[in-house]
Amino acid sequence: MSPWQQCEPAPNATEPGAVGQPGSGMGRAAEGCGTVSVAIPLTMMITGMVGNALAMLLVSRSYRAKGSRRKRSFLLCIGSLALTDMLGQLLTSPIVISVYLANRTWEAVDPSGHLCVFFGFSMTVFGLCPLLIASAMAVERVLAIRAPHWYASHMNPRLTKGGLLAIWAAVVAFALLPVAGLGQYTLQWPGTWCFISTGDGRPGGSTVFAATFAVLGLLSLVVTVTCNLATIEALVSRCRTKATEAHSSKQWGRITMETLIQLLGIMCVLSACWSPLLITMLKMIWGRTFEHCKGVPGEAPGSELHQECNFFLTAIRLASLNQILDPWVYLLLRKILLQKFCQAANAVSKCSNTECKERSITLSEEIRRTTA
């Protein structure tokens, strides 16, 4: 998901329709893109690919390591999330960059409209899949913490692989519905990217499809947040029960704080990246804002309608950031965050240098056990 091209619409842009249809003139908005650097989408693509490739490499090494059987389900989820995010970037970012570098309208690049359908399909698949995988990971974590005996006897890599394949298959089938006539992928404001149409102002397949996407995304966020909070609560409760044992209390305190920081980071990133887009889509469906966006080229740049449509563009850009941040939040920043937290805790408690070193060594060992 990478509609990072920022453009101002051409003054003579006409009312858009579905790509490939007569009178679909929103693509002329791309004529105003000449002053914007292509460095933004290119940098985002490279950063995301490097982060996700590094995450997959670390997961692959950890999965093959001895003693990782108990964590293989979680590692499979992380690896699948990184692979999904990377594929999404590989399939969408080059299109955005190519259209920009061609310095032509979308209709000139894609007269048949097939590229727009493919772009919208990719945006849907690689937008919804990470949300559902994140939910599956949250469910896996809460089961491992709150029902460890059931988890140990029922959870295994084969079941995890089956669940991930089911997610991918279901999302691909859902994203193909517009091809079958239920829903539509159309060129979006300001004419530089394609996504789900929020409707034509009348009840119908496009509105239902767009609303279903938004509702599924919001439900995934709710499940993820709820399960992560339940995991945090269970860890804190278990940490309190071990408070009578000095060594165990310190160890569980470190583990609890580590997990709390990571889960809070996951919830913040997911909510910040996806909530604006999903809520805006529902607002557009109910308020018929999409039809108004068609007429925005004639509106003053500071008008309320112009700002609403630009906010939708900003929302999709925030969602595309999630593919870049996922590997760092789930895996790569784990060690950095722990070290920073240790330094802050040491500064507050004014501990001795010897104690600091001991904590740092313990944390490093804990990280290696977690990621290995």
Side-chain angles (χ1 to χ4, degrees):
M1 298 181 65
S2 304
W4 278 95
Q5 218 170 334
Q6 183 173 357
C7 325
E8 290 299 328
N12 60 344
T14 58
E15 184 172 321
V19 174
Q21 292 180 353
S24 178
M26 188 186 288
R28 300 194 64 80
E31 293 176 357
C33 295
T35 60
V36 180
S37 174
V38 74
I40 295 177
L42 187 60
T43 301
M44 293 295 174
M45 181 182 72
I46 294 175
T47 303
M49 290 178 61
V50 170
N52 284 298
L54 183 58
M56 286 190 293
L57 177 62
L58 292 177
V59 168
S60 177
R61 290 176 55 189
S62 300
Y63 190 84
R64 294 194 300 267
K66 294 181 179 180
S68 65
R69 291 184 179 181
R70 297 172 60 184
K71 297 187 289 289
R72 284 186 174 179
S73 293
F74 186 70
L75 291 172
L76 280 172
C77 290
I78 293 182
S80 300
L81 182 63
L83 177 62
T84 302
D85 287 336
M86 175 175 281
L87 287 176
Q89 291 164 337
L90 287 174
L91 292 178
T92 57
S93 294
I95 296 176
V96 172
I97 296 172
S98 299
V99 171
Y100 173 84
L101 292 177
N103 196 25
R104 300 164 65 190
T105 65
W106 188 286
E107 284 83 355
V109 176
D110 180 33
S112 65
H114 296 323
L115 182 62
C116 183
V117 173
F118 174 77
F119 194 93
F121 169 81
S122 299
M123 293 276 286
T124 302
V125 170
F126 297 107
L128 198 54
C129 267
L131 285 173
L132 295 177
I133 292 175
S135 297
M137 293 172 67
V139 172
E140 188 269 348
R141 276 191 299 268
V142 76
L143 288 176
I145 297 298
R146 301 188 74 95
H149 298 295
W150 184 94
Y151 182 89
S153 59
H154 292 83
M155 202 68 181
N156 56 70
R158 180 178 297 181
L159 180 62
T160 304
K161 292 177 183 177
L164 292 171
L165 288 175
I167 290 175
W168 281 328
V171 173
V172 168
F174 173 77
L176 286 173
L177 289 178
V179 179
L182 182 60
Q184 191 177 39
Y185 296 122
T186 57
L187 199 62
Q188 302 288 327
W189 166 260
T192 56
W193 59 291
C194 294
F195 194 47
I196 300 170
S197 170
T198 53
D200 56 2
R202 301 184 302 270
S206 295
T207 301
V208 172
F209 182 72
T212 303
F213 176 88
V215 170
L216 286 175
L218 287 173
L219 286 176
S220 298
L221 287 179
V222 170
V223 170
T224 301
V225 171
T226 302
C227 290
N228 284 346
L229 289 177
T231 300
I232 291 173
E233 189 275 334
L235 283 174
V236 172
S237 177
R238 186 174 300 182
C239 182
R240 288 175 178 173
T241 61
K242 296 179 178 290
T244 55
E245 304 174 21
H247 177 73
S248 179
S249 176
K250 292 181 179 179
Q251 181 181 9
W252 270 100
R254 288 192 296 268
I255 295 174
T256 301
M257 185 56 65
E258 168 193 340
T259 306
L260 186 146
I261 293 174
Q262 187 181 27
L263 295 184
L264 287 178
I266 291 170
M267 290 187 289
C268 290
V269 168
L270 278 176
S271 300
C273 288
W274 279 103
S275 296
L277 173 64
L278 299 173
I279 294 174
T280 301
M281 286 185 68
L282 291 177
K283 180 181 176 182
M284 291 170 70
I285 293 169
W286 291 333
R288 306 288 188 254
T289 307
F290 179 77
E291 289 301 303
H292 295 198
C293 286
K294 293 180 179 180
V296 166
E299 296 284 337
S303 68
E304 183 177 353
L305 290 177
H306 193 280
Q307 292 176 356
E308 286 182 3
C309 297
N310 277 340
F311 180 78
F312 181 60
L313 185 61
T314 302
I316 197 69
R317 288 168 178 165
L318 282 175
S320 69
L321 271 177
N322 186 243
Q323 294 176 320
I324 299 170
L325 297 177
D326 271 344
W328 298 93
V329 173
Y330 280 96
L331 190 64
L332 301 180
L333 283 180
R334 189 182 186 96
K335 182 175 182 179
I336 298 174
L337 286 174
L338 286 174
Q339 289 178 339
K340 293 297 182 183
F341 173 77
C342 180
Q343 293 172 4
N346 289 336
V348 172
S349 61
K350 298 180 180 180
C351 67
S352 63
N353 291 333
T354 302
E355 187 178 358
C356 289
K357 291 179 181 179
E358 291 177 354
R359 291 187 183 183
S360 178
I361 294 172
T362 305
L363 283 173
S364 298
E365 292 176 350
E366 186 67 34
I367 293 165
R368 284 196 295 269
R369 288 197 297 268
T370 304
T371 59

